Amino acid sequence: MVRVLEGAAAGAFMASSWADLCRRDSQATPYQSPAWLTGWAHQLPPSSRLVVALCEGPARQVLAAVPLVCDRAGARPRTFALSAPMGEYVRAVGPAAEDPQVAMALARYLEGLAADGQHVDMAGLPADSALARHLTSTGPAFAGRWHTSVTDCAEISLPLAYEGMSRSTRRDHKRRQRAWDELAQRHKVTYQRTRDSDELLTAYAALASLHARRWAGHAPPAGSPHAPGALHWPAVLERCGANMAFIATLAVDDEIVAAQLCLTRHRRAYSVVPAIDPFYKDLAPGHALLRHLAQDLTTAGYEYLDLGRTVLGQHAYKDQYRPRWSKTVSAVSAPPASLEVPDERAWPTAEPV
């Protein structure tokens, strides 16, 4: 059975019960953490309403929940995952989130919203999750209701196994490392990772500046990490704190030339937003920072570094680290027959399912 909470009731549930749901779900990511989600929920515009869909068992025991936003700013209500598009992985949360019957109940709730004329956009569902499988089902209950697409995601194991890379890849890594070794003979090269909230927010300002400089005058590729310059990011990071978020930086003579915002859960780190100084692009500062970060995380006991969604042009870059590739699914409801079908080129898709 699915019960729906809205507005203040949804917020109260997230404040009182979400941490326990997340703790009992071994597959939850930082994007399902209460700190991350409430950080975005507290900044919803007046046209939006927080919604939590609960799948309950006997005695109203919560088996799984999905945090959503219903926005009524346009002519047609739109429902989407809370924290989208900043949150890269969207999951139902709870001890039975991967139970097929639970996922089916939640999928039918979303299907009902779409059937009632709402625009439902569930982007970033891990393709192997039960909810994604049900929403992309070809069965009669869902046929023709959803437009689906997939995005590649990359995760690298730590420590980096350079010896297992191809000869040409090892040669490329060594060539770039030599360039930085030579630079370090003439300049001070410093790698750092933030350790407290003050350092995190200070480094965030530098990352936002780098990101703006990198994309000045042109837009990032479709599907790239959401621009970090908006004021709402510091409020979210302040809630996450140093126990869950950090920014790694690489500096030349105290000038930051690359930065990477990451979230963590258990022994896995998740890259959220990277940024580089375009003036140093010939030195591949992103690669240099990633090598430092991988070594740092290995020393700190991390086992994986998730590089997140991969947009056009990034596959070769990430392939150099021998990642495990996975996919996320975006399921967007088709409009009612009375509405014009949107141009497929406008959908945030990378590859048709």
Side-chain angles (χ1 to χ4, degrees):
M1 172 182 175
V2 172
R3 182 163 63 100
V4 180
L5 304 177
E6 298 186 14
F13 177 85
M14 293 198 71
S16 64
S17 304
W18 201 265
D20 183 61
L21 277 183
C22 193
R23 180 183 58 79
R24 296 167 63 198
D25 188 341
S26 62
Q27 297 191 61
T29 77
Y31 299 111
Q32 282 76 58
S33 71
W36 172 265
L37 290 171
T38 56
W40 295 109
H42 277 78
Q43 300 180 77
L44 293 176
S47 62
S48 293
R49 190 171 180 84
L50 178 64
V51 176
V52 175
L54 308 173
C55 185
E56 297 178 324
R60 300 185 76 170
Q61 176 190 9
V62 178
L63 304 175
V66 177
L68 303 165
V69 175
C70 180
D71 184 78
R72 297 184 178 275
R76 184 181 172 205
R78 175 172 175 258
T79 292
F80 55 94
L82 176 62
S83 89
M86 286 67 68
E88 296 204 355
Y89 297 114
V90 171
R91 287 185 175 274
V93 183
E98 290 304 306
D99 181 279
Q101 296 303 314
V102 171
M104 174 60 82
L106 293 170
R108 287 189 179 278
Y109 163 70
L110 295 170
E111 162 69 11
L113 295 179
D116 288 341
Q118 285 206 34
H119 177 82
V120 182
D121 186 347
M122 296 298 291
L125 296 163
D128 60 356
S129 67
L131 184 56
R133 289 196 297 271
H134 281 293
L135 284 181
T136 58
S137 168
T138 56
F142 301 103
R145 179 64 66 185
W146 303 97
H147 298 298
T148 58
S149 62
V150 298
T151 299
D152 292 330
C153 298
E155 177 185 81
I156 56 179
S157 296
L158 301 174
L160 285 178
Y162 291 103
E163 67 281 358
M165 299 176 182
S166 69
R167 183 177 300 176
S168 61
T169 299
R170 292 199 306 271
R171 187 165 55 244
D172 287 341
H173 279 300
K174 289 178 179 178
R175 173 180 53 79
R176 286 191 292 265
Q177 185 60 55
R178 280 197 305 270
W180 280 90
D181 290 342
E182 292 171 2
L183 182 69
Q185 294 176 12
R186 308 185 307 274
H187 302 272
K188 182 175 70 171
V189 176
T190 309
Y191 164 82
Q192 290 184 315
R193 175 161 60 95
T194 59
R195 307 288 177 171
D196 59 43
S197 294
D198 289 340
E199 290 182 355
L200 175 64
L201 294 176
T202 299
Y204 169 80
L207 184 149
S209 177
L210 278 185
H211 193 279
R213 196 181 316 162
R214 169 67 178 85
W215 298 108
H218 56 288
S224 294
H226 193 268
L231 295 176
H232 48 229
W233 273 97
V236 173
L237 294 180
E238 197 164 8
R239 283 181 174 270
C240 291
N243 290 332
M244 180 182 158
F246 69 81
I247 293 176
T249 58
L250 186 66
V252 176
D253 293 336
D254 298 323
E255 180 183 355
I256 294 176
V257 299
Q260 195 158 346
L261 166 62
C262 296
L263 301 178
T264 64
R265 178 173 166 84
H266 302 320
R267 297 185 182 275
R268 185 176 264 106
Y270 295 75
S271 174
V272 184
V273 179
I276 66 167
D277 187 334
F279 181 78
Y280 287 86
K281 65 180 181 180
D282 291 343
L283 285 171
H287 278 293
L289 176 58
L290 187 54
R291 290 194 297 273
H292 281 287
L293 176 59
Q295 180 59 52
D296 184 15
L297 292 177
T298 299
T299 302
Y302 288 86
E303 297 176 354
Y304 302 95
L305 173 58
D306 189 298
L307 300 179
R309 64 171 69 108
T310 304
V311 301
L312 188 65
Q314 290 185 339
H315 287 78
Y317 173 91
K318 295 181 180 181
D319 257 334
Q320 296 182 53
Y321 297 92
R322 301 187 69 220
R324 180 185 72 87
W325 288 100
S326 61
K327 296 182 184 297
T328 58
V329 177
S330 292
V332 181
S333 62
S338 59
L339 298 179
E340 181 182 355
V341 176
D343 184 345
E344 295 185 11
R345 293 172 298 180
W347 301 334
T349 63
E351 175 184 344
V353 173

